[in-house]
Amino acid sequence: MANKFYITTPIYYPSGKFHIGTAYSTVVAESLKRYHELKGEDSYMLTGTDEHGQKIQTVAEKLGETPKEYVDKMAKAAKELWAKMNIKYDDFIRTTDERHEKVVQKIFDRFMEQGDIYKGYYEGLYCVPCETFFTETQLVDGKCPDCGREVVPMKEEAYFFNMKKYADRLLKYYDEHPDFVKPDYRKQEMINNFIKPGLEDLCVSRTSFDWGVKVLKDPKHVVYVWVDALTNYITALGYLSDDDTLFKKYWPADVHVVGKDIARFHLIYWPIFLMALNLPLPKTVFVHNWIMMKDGKMSKSKGNVIYPEQLIDRYGLDATKYFLLREMPSSQDGIFTPESFIDRYNFDLCNDLSNLLNRTVSMVNKYFEGQVPKYNGTPNAVDKELEDYCIEQIKKFEEKINNFEIANSLQEIWNLVARTNKYIDETAPWTLAKEEKTEELKSVMYHLIENLRKIAILIKPFMDDTSEKILKQIGIQDLNLKTWKSLLDYDKLENIKVIEKAEPMYMRLDAEKEIGYIKDLMMKK
Ligand code: ME8
């Protein structure tokens, strides 16, 4: 039976339009899902929206809408964006779904019965008109960051989850499961910053607002944030409502993809909740960095926000996804600049990839009337070196992607693109043709087409449309020649005819003009 692969995105706060940064978690998760699917695994991807809480209630009130009307509208917008980005998820959970709320209540009850939750007081600085608590650091000039008015110290009754009880078990788990946290340095951050100094108990209910899941045994409380949000990963699979189908098949998750700001919740609180429920823990939590702008975080007031739709409409989906995935290092934040976006487009996609395809298709047409020659079985030294390099790159790609080094895995593919371009210069097919070295020329054409086929398969999880375009232009129709397994084959192409006229996939952009165009987008309010 095929391996299963269950991957999740964070569930998004529907408090505003998603920019290219927020879309990143989903783009990564979906690419990983497609990669595992291509490898023949039974993949399942969950995404959704995190719809409760005071912020949502306040935003809705300001718009004169009920919270439900507001979140319905926003969940619809999220689905529309994912449709535009061709994101193929298997389920979309909303924390306002009845299937979720009922199970959250059961989970909360169980925590209470087990004595994991106790009653105490939530204390903080409170803005009366906004009905919101803030911490000292959230204040702006000592005042409410939302309305600018004075805040007052306040306390309200709340339930707390006893995290300390599980701290040692968590550390032991980290120790025994080296793959639980990717990249590894995030684990040390958790230990040094939060666990070693003494884990604080977590506030899990509130009484000062009511847009949330009611605590059954104490209905003036609503469940507060993380018990409600994190449990989506199991409620969506039917935990405690239909345990024998999806939950049995897919839990534990193979990967939770999360941004660095929510690492703590996924690396500390979520494993502890699961321990309290006596459930297995996810195999890996992959923590990614952030996409930043030159002047820091994206924000409307700074006039530096870019939305995915804006880039997709002008440059296409694949170019947009390629940029996001390629420009995010594992060890630090990625930076979006109009210059780097256009450079990636002009160099990586147009000069390197698109031109390789054009040159190859044109030569096969010119020298062999479009018919791809057969593999000759005795490659010369130059051809053999290319074959070995290619197989090595495929292995490197797999190592990197399996270790969640997404940008590096793409770099390995582009190394193969560059090497294949270099092979054209090395073998100089035009000279071989002039000197009528037909056998050598045939072998060069075969190797170019074979490398392009492999490149198309390798980029498929990230750039589906570009991958299909390459395969179509080089005449690969047989499904067996599009599989992951077929990547390591080097001699199976027979009766392949390339299209008559190469169609450029990416045309060189006027850099100055396009940089100006993107800068204007960023200024738009
Ligand atoms: O945190 N670059 O939701 P959210 C990269 N509801 N990633 C970014 C980013 C940027 N500039 N800005 C935001 C929540 N993100 C909770 C999650 S899960 C049980 C609950 C990422 O809408 C962020 O790191 O604020 C997170 O992974 C995702 O967008 C959703 O953030």
Side-chain angles (χ1 to χ4, degrees):
M1 216 179 67
N3 279 344
K4 66 90 184 168
F5 181 77
Y6 174 39
I7 187 160
T8 66
T9 73
I11 48 170
Y12 286 84
Y13 289 129
S15 46
K17 207 165 141 55
F18 299 168
H19 54 60
I20 53 163
T22 21
Y24 183 79
S25 303
T26 296
V27 169
V28 168
E30 206 239 4
S31 300
L32 290 169
K33 181 212 164 184
R34 284 177 185 256
Y35 164 64
H36 284 266
E37 208 160 59
L38 192 58
K39 290 205 327 183
E41 293 174 21
D42 172 5
S43 304
Y44 194 87
M45 171 174 163
L46 173 70
T47 190
T49 36
D50 190 358
E51 302 185 351
H52 291 126
Q54 181 151 34
K55 256 215 161 127
I56 301 286
Q57 192 168 354
T58 313
V59 175
E61 274 162 15
K62 274 189 191 150
L63 292 170
E65 294 169 11
T66 65
K68 182 74 173 91
E69 281 166 351
Y70 175 75
V71 293
D72 282 351
K73 184 177 76 184
M74 297 304 283
K76 188 166 162 273
K79 286 182 183 172
E80 281 165 4
L81 173 63
W82 303 143
K84 179 155 183 123
M85 297 189 78
N86 197 20
I87 299 289
K88 297 258 190 316
Y89 51 79
D90 296 281
D91 194 4
F92 189 104
I93 184 138
R94 301 178 52 187
T95 50
T96 52
D97 287 346
E98 198 185 304
R99 59 174 174 156
H100 176 75
E101 293 193 342
K102 284 204 156 141
V103 178
V104 169
Q105 288 178 320
K106 284 190 201 170
I107 291 173
F108 201 94
D109 258 11
R110 181 162 159 194
F111 288 160
M112 279 170 107
E113 274 163 26
Q114 288 178 184
D116 285 318
I117 280 178
Y118 63 90
K119 207 183 249 184
Y121 286 94
Y122 184 87
E123 288 183 60
L125 297 158
Y126 192 71
C127 173
V128 181
C130 295
E131 297 177 24
T132 310
F133 276 95
F134 296 102
T135 59
E136 198 93 42
T137 49
Q138 288 172 318
L139 302 181
V140 175
D141 299 329
K143 305 224 166 86
C144 170
D146 288 345
C147 72
R149 279 181 271 214
E150 295 292 337
V151 290
V152 286
M154 275 264 273
K155 69 182 199 177
E156 74 177 51
E157 184 183 283
Y159 285 97
F160 287 82
F161 191 101
N162 183 352
M163 291 287 162
K164 291 182 192 75
K165 183 172 145 191
Y166 291 91
D168 288 340
R169 259 178 82 182
L170 183 64
L171 284 174
K172 186 159 178 280
Y173 191 88
Y174 283 175
D175 241 18
E176 290 169 357
H177 298 82
D179 287 336
F180 179 59
V181 185
K182 293 280 174 184
D184 203 49
Y185 67 88
R186 294 284 176 198
K187 179 163 63 191
Q188 215 47 51
E189 278 178 13
M190 296 300 130
I191 298 174
N192 295 346
N193 300 347
F194 304 108
I195 307 179
K196 282 273 161 69
L199 249 193
E200 299 214 2
D201 291 346
L202 181 75
C203 175
V204 289
S205 86
R206 298 291 296 275
T207 53
S208 55
F209 60 90
D210 60 5
W211 178 241
V213 180
K214 284 215 167 4
V215 173
L216 277 182
K217 295 213 168 104
D218 198 349
K220 71 173 192 292
H221 288 256
V222 292
V223 177
Y224 181 50
V225 193
W226 292 101
V227 173
D228 181 18
L230 290 161
T231 51
N232 89 87
Y233 302 132
I234 51 178
T235 62
L237 293 183
Y239 175 63
L240 294 185
S241 59
D242 175 14
D243 295 75
D244 284 335
T245 38
L246 292 176
F247 184 70
K248 188 168 168 196
K249 187 168 173 194
Y250 290 116
W251 191 257
D254 292 82
V255 189
H256 292 312
V257 175
V258 302
K260 61 179 184 179
D261 56 320
I262 52 173
R264 175 159 62 109
F265 306 103
H266 287 80
L267 296 176
I268 298 178
Y269 304 139
W270 180 225
I272 288 180
F273 291 156
L274 288 166
M275 284 174 183
L277 293 171
N278 209 14
L279 288 176
L281 268 50
K283 289 189 195 140
T284 299
V285 176
F286 167 47
V287 181
H288 64 72
N289 288 302
W290 267 32
I291 300 209
M292 306 294 278
M293 305 310 255
K294 255 201 212 135
D295 51 351
K297 273 191 184 178
M298 256 175 267
S299 86
K300 272 197 192 160
S301 54
K302 277 194 207 158
N304 66 358
V305 185
I306 285 281
Y307 299 102
E309 296 94 327
Q310 296 175 317
L311 295 178
I312 294 167
D313 286 343
R314 189 144 176 116
Y315 307 105
L317 175 61
D318 284 2
T320 305
K321 278 170 65 180
Y322 176 73
F323 178 86
L324 292 177
L325 295 165
R326 182 66 195 266
E327 283 288 329
M328 176 76 95
S330 304
S331 54
Q332 64 197 65
D333 287 332
I335 312 268
F336 177 94
T337 63
E339 291 81 2
S340 55
F341 184 87
I342 298 302
D343 272 0
R344 287 279 176 214
Y345 193 102
N346 275 344
F347 293 107
D348 299 15
L349 300 179
C350 176
N351 278 13
D352 297 345
L353 183 63
S354 194
N355 281 353
L356 173 64
L357 176 70
N358 283 355
R359 290 162 91 190
T360 304
V361 169
S362 309
M363 287 191 290
V364 176
N365 274 311
K366 184 165 171 196
Y367 302 132
F368 299 107
E369 287 166 350
Q371 191 67 42
V372 179
K374 268 173 60 171
Y375 187 68
N376 75 8
T378 50
N380 64 23
V382 180
D383 296 351
K384 185 75 179 73
E385 198 202 314
L386 183 77
E387 289 181 19
D388 292 344
Y389 181 86
C390 193
I391 302 298
E392 194 54 35
Q393 283 313 106
I394 294 167
K395 283 193 197 135
K396 282 190 188 163
F397 167 83
E398 290 209 76
E399 267 166 39
K400 301 276 158 67
I401 194 157
N402 291 339
N403 200 34
F404 302 96
E405 295 172 48
I406 315 288
N408 291 342
S409 70
L410 283 168
Q411 168 79 58
E412 299 299 353
I413 305 177
W414 257 258
N415 288 344
L416 178 60
V417 173
R419 179 69 188 84
T420 311
N421 272 317
K422 190 167 151 233
Y423 172 77
I424 301 184
D425 301 334
E426 273 171 9
T427 55
W430 43 93
T431 313
L432 297 176
K434 214 191 288 160
E435 294 172 0
E436 293 184 10
K437 293 186 174 158
T438 314
E439 279 315 302
E440 279 180 47
L441 184 61
K442 278 184 178 169
S443 185
V444 171
M445 292 304 120
Y446 182 91
H447 281 80
L448 287 174
I449 294 289
E450 185 57 293
N451 274 22
L452 274 165
R453 181 182 76 90
K454 293 180 199 304
I455 290 162
I457 298 173
L458 288 166
I459 63 170
K460 192 163 172 59
F462 316 99
M463 309 168 82
D464 194 35
D465 190 39
T466 306
S467 165
E468 282 304 322
K469 278 186 183 152
I470 297 174
L471 292 170
K472 184 168 162 263
Q473 295 203 38
I474 62 171
I476 305 287
Q477 283 164 358
D478 183 350
L479 290 182
N480 291 321
L481 295 172
K482 298 184 182 182
T483 63
W484 196 259
K485 225 172 102 231
S486 77
L487 262 182
L488 296 178
D489 293 336
Y490 223 114
D491 54 2
K492 297 277 188 298
L493 305 187
E494 276 183 52
N495 291 327
I496 304 286
K497 205 164 178 348
V498 303
I499 62 162
E500 271 172 35
K501 198 163 163 21
E503 294 160 9
M505 295 188 297
Y506 294 94
M507 305 276 255
R508 200 175 171 81
L509 300 171
D510 175 340
E512 203 177 317
K513 180 171 150 219
E514 297 306 322
I515 289 166
Y517 178 84
I518 299 176
K519 283 187 176 158
D520 283 348
L521 287 181
M522 287 159 59
M523 299 304 291
K524 264 190 198 158
K525 294 280 166 197

